[in-house]
């Protein structure tokens, strides 16, 4: 447990070893989403890093994306969106029909810029197809969201320690760090 790790002397951590990595990160473009009712608009924008197609999604334009993972592992899902002063404040995300997660967006920028926000915390995914539902939400009825992509990134054990007595401690990290 974290309490055991936090109260253990630092000498135990000196014997840690890296955990092998063989997983892949997936990037799913929002413009490849399938609308639930009405189609969202696809817009081309000049953004830092070049011209990009993004999904402009209003409150009544939910959509879903499908993606496939090869390996049974823990993954995190991040949302890449365009930071803009005109967009809505919250996006609802739902992975494989689980509970809805509200993702607050930072929209205080006066210029268009890309932002990456955590959408789904670490969750175990089995090999195969998965569905990600997305809708604009929040207090702004007319707010729109400019979505670029979702990043499905494996979380792997970075360091593992044998604490003795059949107990182990592992520090997890995503592959982008």
């Amino acid at each position: 447990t974290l309490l055991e790790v936090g109260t253990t002397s630092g000498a135990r951590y000196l014997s840690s070893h890296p955990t092998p990595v063989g997983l892949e990160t997936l990037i799913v473009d929002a413009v490849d989403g399938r609308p639930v009712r009405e189609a969202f608009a696809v817009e081309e924008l000049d953004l830092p890093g070049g011209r990009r197609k993004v999904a402009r999604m209003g409150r009544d334009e939910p959509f879903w994306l499908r993606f496939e993972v090869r390996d049974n592992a823990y993954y995190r899902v991040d949302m890449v969106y365009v930071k803009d002063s005109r967009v809505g404040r919250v996006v609802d995300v739902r992975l494989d029909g689980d509970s809805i997660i509200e993702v607050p967006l930072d929209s205080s920028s006066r210029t268009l810029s890309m932002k990456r926000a955590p959408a789904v915390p670490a969750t175990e995914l089995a090999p195969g197809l998965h569905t990600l539902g997305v809708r604009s939400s929040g207090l702004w009825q007319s707010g729109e969201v400019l979505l670029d992509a979702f990043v499905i990134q494996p979380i792997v054990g970075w360091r593992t320690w044998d604490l003795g007595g059949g107990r182990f401690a592992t520090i997890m990290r995503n592959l982008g760090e």
Side-chain angles (χ1 to χ4, degrees):
T1 66
L2 286 176
L3 182 59
E4 291 171 326
V5 172
T7 58
T8 306
S9 71
R12 290 190 184 198
Y13 300 111
L14 297 177
S15 63
S16 68
H17 60 279
T19 304
V21 176
L23 303 171
E24 65 181 348
T25 296
L26 303 172
I27 298 175
V28 183
D29 287 326
V31 295
D32 293 334
R34 303 286 180 235
V36 174
R37 290 184 292 275
E38 297 178 30
F40 53 84
V42 175
E43 192 170 318
E44 269 194 68
L45 298 175
D46 288 317
L47 298 166
R51 195 157 179 80
R52 302 264 319 148
K53 284 186 180 179
V54 296
R56 179 178 289 279
M57 182 181 65
R59 187 164 177 84
D60 294 323
E61 300 165 336
F63 66 93
W64 54 270
L65 294 160
R66 292 184 105 176
F67 63 93
E68 185 173 2
V69 296
R70 289 185 320 198
D71 301 295
N72 186 50
Y74 281 89
Y75 293 84
R76 64 178 276 168
V77 179
D78 290 347
M79 180 174 60
V80 181
Y81 66 97
V82 178
K83 187 174 168 184
D84 181 5
S85 61
R86 300 169 295 153
V87 302
R89 297 283 192 252
V90 177
V91 170
D92 291 338
V93 177
R94 188 176 208 179
L95 178 63
D96 290 339
D98 285 344
S99 58
I100 295 172
I101 299 169
E102 289 187 341
V103 181
L105 305 181
D106 179 7
S107 55
S108 61
S109 179
R110 292 205 165 122
T111 60
L112 296 178
S113 61
M114 301 300 287
K115 180 87 177 185
R116 183 170 167 171
V120 178
T123 187
E124 187 173 14
L125 296 178
L129 284 174
H130 297 275
T131 304
L132 193 63
V134 184
R135 75 175 174 159
S136 181
S137 181
L139 299 174
W140 287 21
Q141 296 292 331
S142 63
E144 294 181 323
V145 178
L146 301 170
L147 293 178
D148 179 44
F150 286 86
V151 180
I152 297 93
Q153 192 167 28
I155 298 176
V156 297
W158 181 50
R159 300 275 188 216
T160 302
W161 296 272
D162 185 347
L163 299 177
R167 297 179 309 144
F168 294 89
T170 302
I171 294 178
M172 308 293 279
R173 70 178 178 97
N174 65 52
L175 294 179
E177 295 176 342

